[in-house]
Amino acid sequence: MSINALIVDDEEYSCKSLYFLINGYCPEVTIKGIVHSVADARKKIKSDKIELVFLDIAMPVEDGFSLLPDLKESAVSVIFTTAYDRYALRALKASAVDYLLKPIDIEDLKCAIAKALHWKKLGESDKIKSGINSERLNSLEENLNDINKISKINLPNSNGFQILDINNIIYVVADSNYSVFHLNNQKRIVVSKHLKEYEEILENSGFCRIHKSTIINLNYLTDYSNKSGLIVRLSDNSEHAVSRRRASDFLETIRLNFRR
């Protein structure tokens, strides 16, 4: 399977570097063009059979996120390319949208392209692919509305992903290499990713890691006690230990979030 791609980046060096990496290591990808602005990208997507866009975030006039409405209407997949920006990365991670950090690592590039090919195979028609794109990018736009907080999280599964409003998550626990999400409708979702990744996504959004194996949503906290070790109880009546190492951070978070 092959895929037609477009590189969108205002920096000539970044464009050439990515072009040579793809040509040298990713034979499944055919580069159909290189443009240096979102405006030119819009024209190219409409005129050529573009299936994948490598999209820089930080560009003058219009940043990469300005292209989202155009991508939602099409069956075009997107891989964002960016220098480190923790808030943008949190939004991308939470929305299950692929990204590459500059300078781009070859193995990361291969992995991102493999995912793009998977999405192409998963979508049997342009209509299905457009629907998948639209859902992921809608989630990303919501998360970008307030760059400091995450409102939606996309959890991958074997058939694609499931979009959750984070307010529906009571707590998340680690189970070996998996993370188990416990929801307010009594359902559980098991995801094959480490808890650490979700700690980074959910920080500053009302969640607190209280133990190496537990993240809780503070909105569901009902009480805590230090009678026999620090224990918290949540609204579903579940009880969770707060580790000694995280106790002071937890209490400080409580103080900041529940000021009278």
Side-chain angles (χ1 to χ4, degrees):
M1 181 181 290
S2 62
I3 194 164
N4 294 329
L6 175 69
I7 296 174
V8 185
D9 196 321
D10 64 306
E11 295 180 351
E12 189 67 37
Y13 173 79
S14 295
C15 290
K16 288 182 177 179
S17 176
L18 179 54
Y19 176 82
F20 287 123
L21 282 177
I22 291 171
N23 266 2
Y25 298 95
C26 308
E28 316 95 327
V29 181
T30 301
I31 301 298
K32 301 291 284 186
I34 297 174
V35 297
H36 303 299
S37 70
V38 167
D40 288 339
R42 289 191 184 103
K43 297 174 186 175
K44 194 74 174 173
I45 290 170
K46 288 180 180 178
S47 64
D48 290 16
K49 293 181 178 179
I50 302 298
E51 300 170 289
L52 172 64
V53 175
F54 292 92
L55 181 60
D56 185 30
I57 292 177
M59 291 185 287
V61 187
E62 293 181 280
D63 65 22
F65 294 131
S66 301
L67 193 61
L68 291 184
D70 302 88
L71 295 175
K72 282 197 298 181
E73 294 176 3
S74 66
V76 180
S77 297
V78 60
I79 297 172
F80 286 95
T81 59
T82 180
Y84 182 75
D85 179 319
R86 66 183 297 235
Y87 296 114
L89 289 187
R90 283 179 62 228
L92 294 171
K93 283 183 179 181
S95 308
V97 177
D98 288 316
Y99 65 90
L100 296 167
L101 285 178
K102 297 176 180 179
I104 292 170
D105 178 80
I106 294 170
E107 293 306 315
D108 290 342
L109 174 63
K110 289 179 178 179
C111 183
I113 289 171
K115 288 180 184 178
L117 290 168
H118 169 73
W119 287 115
K120 179 179 177 179
K121 186 177 181 180
L122 191 65
E124 296 176 354
S125 69
D126 284 350
K127 186 176 181 181
I128 293 174
K129 286 189 282 185
S130 183
I132 291 171
N133 263 1
S134 183
E135 288 179 3
R136 298 168 87 197
L137 297 180
N138 277 338
S139 178
L140 177 57
E141 282 189 317
E142 283 198 43
N143 287 331
L144 290 170
N145 284 337
D146 183 349
I147 200 69
N148 294 301
K149 293 184 178 181
I150 297 298
S151 60
K152 296 286 180 73
I153 186 168
N154 294 9
L155 303 179
N157 57 47
S158 57
N159 297 315
F161 56 88
Q162 181 171 348
I163 300 175
L164 283 184
D165 186 320
I166 67 165
N167 294 321
N168 296 330
I169 302 168
I170 300 179
Y171 62 97
V172 192
V173 293
D175 183 2
S176 186
N177 294 327
Y178 295 84
S179 295
V180 183
F181 287 73
H182 292 255
L183 310 182
N184 58 6
N185 60 2
Q186 299 185 331
K187 290 185 178 180
R188 299 190 318 157
I189 299 175
V190 181
V191 183
S192 58
K193 287 191 176 184
H194 291 281
L195 194 66
K196 175 66 176 174
E197 182 159 350
Y198 293 111
E199 178 186 13
E200 294 172 354
I201 290 171
L202 294 169
E203 66 178 353
N204 300 326
S205 297
F207 288 76
C208 181
R209 188 164 186 173
I210 60 171
H211 192 275
K212 67 179 181 180
S213 62
T214 314
I215 297 171
I216 65 169
N217 185 340
L218 295 173
N219 291 320
Y220 291 97
L221 178 66
T222 58
D223 60 77
Y224 64 92
S225 168
N226 59 5
K227 189 173 181 180
S228 54
L230 191 54
I231 301 292
V232 299
R233 183 179 291 112
L234 303 180
S235 61
D236 64 344
N237 290 321
S238 62
E239 293 186 346
H240 307 270
V242 181
S243 68
R244 204 178 313 175
R245 186 169 69 88
R246 297 180 184 271
S248 59
D249 286 342
F250 167 71
L251 293 173
E252 177 64 13
T253 302
I254 291 296
R255 187 184 69 81
L256 293 173
N257 280 270
F258 295 98
R259 284 177 175 172
R260 290 178 179 263

